[in-house]
Amino acid sequence: MPRLIVAFLAWATLLAGLTLPSFAPEISNVTILALMAAGLLHLFWVPERMHLLRQPASWMPLLAALLLLVAFSITAKSPLHVAAFLTLIHLYMVVPMSGLLIRLGGALTLDRIGFFALAGAAGGFAVAAIDVYVFGSSRGGLVNNPIHLADITLALGFVALVGLWSGSRWRLVFLAGPALSVGTVLLTASRGPMVAASLMLLTAALAMCFSWLPAYRRMRVIGGCLLVCIIMAALLVLTDAPDVPAIERIMALLHGGIAGDTSASERLIMYRSAFNAFLASPLVGHGLIDYPMAAAAYAPAGSEFPIYDHLHNDIADFGVAGGILGLAAYGLFLWAPIAGARRVEGALRMPLLYLGSVTTIGYFSMGMTNAVIGLRWPDIVLATVLALIVTLSNRPQGAQA
């Protein structure tokens, strides 16, 4: 392909993968699928394609796809059940995306990546603020489910922080990324993403400590961050139902009670049902299509199973849908960012270790209270992060950010 066209497609990939998902999710999805198709075609002109494929951030999602294909094929009742593994198609396209991004060469810098993600975080905050303060909604969610909006914006805000390692004179601007994402979480009144935000803040603080602070100051900062995380977690538990002591709420939930928190009770019923469904078919699960109904069949006696499109927990979703093979696939998706970043040496090692770690920790923690991996918008962001790690890992050691 002509170099100018490829460069345009590469920048468009960053726009669709890091900027649009928060405030224009459907446009992002349609655009990124078209770009992935173009990237797949372009691979014929990429001499580094086999090297890109050998990167852990590339082959781990493909191995996960194979495991899901095997699991869904065994439990399939129709060809559609087999094809269900394509629901996660975005995560299988890391190599085509990297094939486009690698053509940017030195133009693909950490600060430019940060600006694309920062724009996405700002867009997510803006639509949440408009929904709450202009339209009067109780929770921000103008373009998406409030929790999904919070999750996507949270991921983008912390991706933006990678610009701190760019050496750019504008690098302090990227501190706005986490601030905007946490603001979006507050506007969407989402407890799960707030817990995830505290863990991601701790990850970012650790990365910055080991990058720039002398050893004697690191422990002070780390201790302070841990204290903040503990306080935030305690507030989330205690302020949700102030008339019920926290210990009583937890014990009541374990016994299936409401304890003033219908959302938590519904999740507990789904998790218990998912565990029972997993035990009923531990190796390959029950298939992806209608897997919540499969879990409902194993609901605890006397409980009313809530009807949703998913089980509000990534481990439960993959365990019921794919059994042990599904859980292995989930682990590969989740670990791929860190595994890819660990291969990097030189100036890019620390920023990519930060990017990989904050992505893995963020997606894991967000996935404990809601479906994340397997939903197309978070998958778009994750695929883009993986493609960036693969692309930057392919640079010579000592290359600058």
Side-chain angles (χ1 to χ4, degrees):
M1 289 186 183
R3 184 177 297 272
L4 186 61
I5 293 177
V6 174
F8 171 79
L9 294 176
W11 291 121
T13 298
L14 291 179
L15 179 67
L18 294 182
T19 303
L20 297 180
S22 58
F23 62 90
E26 293 301 338
I27 295 175
S28 170
N29 183 48
V30 172
T31 304
I32 203 72
L33 286 174
L35 290 165
M36 287 174 174
L40 197 59
L41 176 63
H42 174 252
L43 274 181
F44 289 104
W45 289 274
V46 180
E48 305 96 335
R49 57 184 176 274
M50 294 308 299
H51 182 70
L52 296 177
L53 183 59
R54 287 193 291 268
Q55 297 289 331
S58 294
W59 63 257
M60 291 177 74
L62 294 177
L63 178 57
L66 178 61
L67 295 177
L68 293 177
L69 177 59
V70 171
F72 297 162
S73 297
I74 293 173
T75 59
K77 301 178 181 65
S78 71
L80 185 60
H81 288 78
V82 179
F85 86 103
L86 293 174
T87 301
L88 295 92
I89 186 66
H90 303 91
L91 296 175
Y92 311 150
M93 292 292 157
V94 174
V95 174
M97 294 172 72
S98 303
L100 291 174
L101 294 175
I102 201 171
R103 290 305 178 213
L104 293 177
L108 182 63
T109 57
L110 294 180
D111 58 337
R112 287 172 180 167
I113 294 169
F115 278 121
F116 275 102
L118 183 61
F125 178 80
V127 296
I130 290 171
D131 203 11
V132 171
Y133 296 117
V134 177
F135 295 108
S137 300
S138 59
R139 303 177 67 186
L142 184 62
V143 298
N144 211 328
N145 173 289
I147 300 178
H148 295 164
L149 174 61
D151 285 340
I152 296 164
T153 306
L154 191 60
L156 292 174
F158 281 88
V159 170
L161 201 59
V162 78
L164 278 178
W165 283 267
S166 66
S168 167
R169 62 176 178 173
W170 302 103
R171 60 186 179 276
L172 294 182
V173 171
F174 300 113
L175 291 171
L180 289 167
S181 61
V182 171
T184 305
V185 171
L186 293 173
L187 288 170
T188 58
S190 303
R191 287 177 294 170
M194 181 55 72
V195 174
S198 64
L199 296 175
M200 295 168 81
L201 283 168
L202 179 59
T203 303
L206 287 170
M208 287 186 279
C209 282
F210 283 96
S211 292
W212 299 302
L213 290 185
Y216 71 93
R217 289 186 180 176
R218 291 174 188 168
M219 296 309 299
R220 296 180 185 177
V221 175
I222 294 169
C225 290
L226 284 172
L227 180 61
V228 170
C229 291
I230 292 171
I231 292 173
M232 290 176 67
L235 288 174
L236 288 170
V237 173
L238 298 174
T239 60
D240 185 62
D243 56 323
V244 182
I247 298 299
E248 291 183 19
R249 292 179 65 238
I250 294 171
M251 295 305 297
L253 284 172
L254 290 175
H255 289 88
I258 297 300
D261 192 336
T262 303
S263 174
S265 296
E266 289 181 343
R267 280 172 164 77
L268 186 63
I269 291 171
M270 287 189 283
Y271 301 162
R272 294 172 66 185
S273 304
F275 182 68
N276 293 336
F278 172 77
L279 293 179
S281 180
L283 180 60
V284 295
H286 302 268
L288 188 61
I289 296 179
D290 292 331
Y291 72 91
M293 292 299 97
Y298 295 91
S303 62
E304 183 178 351
F305 189 88
I307 304 301
Y308 291 104
D309 294 333
H310 52 79
L311 301 175
H312 286 71
N313 180 281
D314 276 349
I315 293 177
D317 288 339
F318 279 89
V320 174
I324 291 174
L325 294 182
L327 291 175
Y330 171 65
L332 287 167
F333 288 133
L334 199 63
W335 189 249
I338 291 180
R342 289 179 63 188
R343 296 282 296 271
V344 182
E345 299 294 341
L348 289 171
R349 180 172 175 80
M350 183 53 73
L352 289 191
L353 279 175
Y354 159 74
L355 184 59
S357 299
V358 81
T359 300
T360 293
I361 290 170
Y363 271 72
F364 174 75
S365 52
M366 291 187 293
M368 290 301 96
T369 55
N370 197 48
V372 180
I373 296 180
L375 296 180
R376 56 185 177 272
W377 308 295
D379 283 356
I380 289 170
V381 177
L382 179 55
T384 306
V385 170
L386 290 172
L388 286 168
I389 290 173
V390 170
T391 303
L392 295 176
S393 299
N394 196 58
R395 288 187 180 173
Q397 295 186 14
Q400 296 300 308

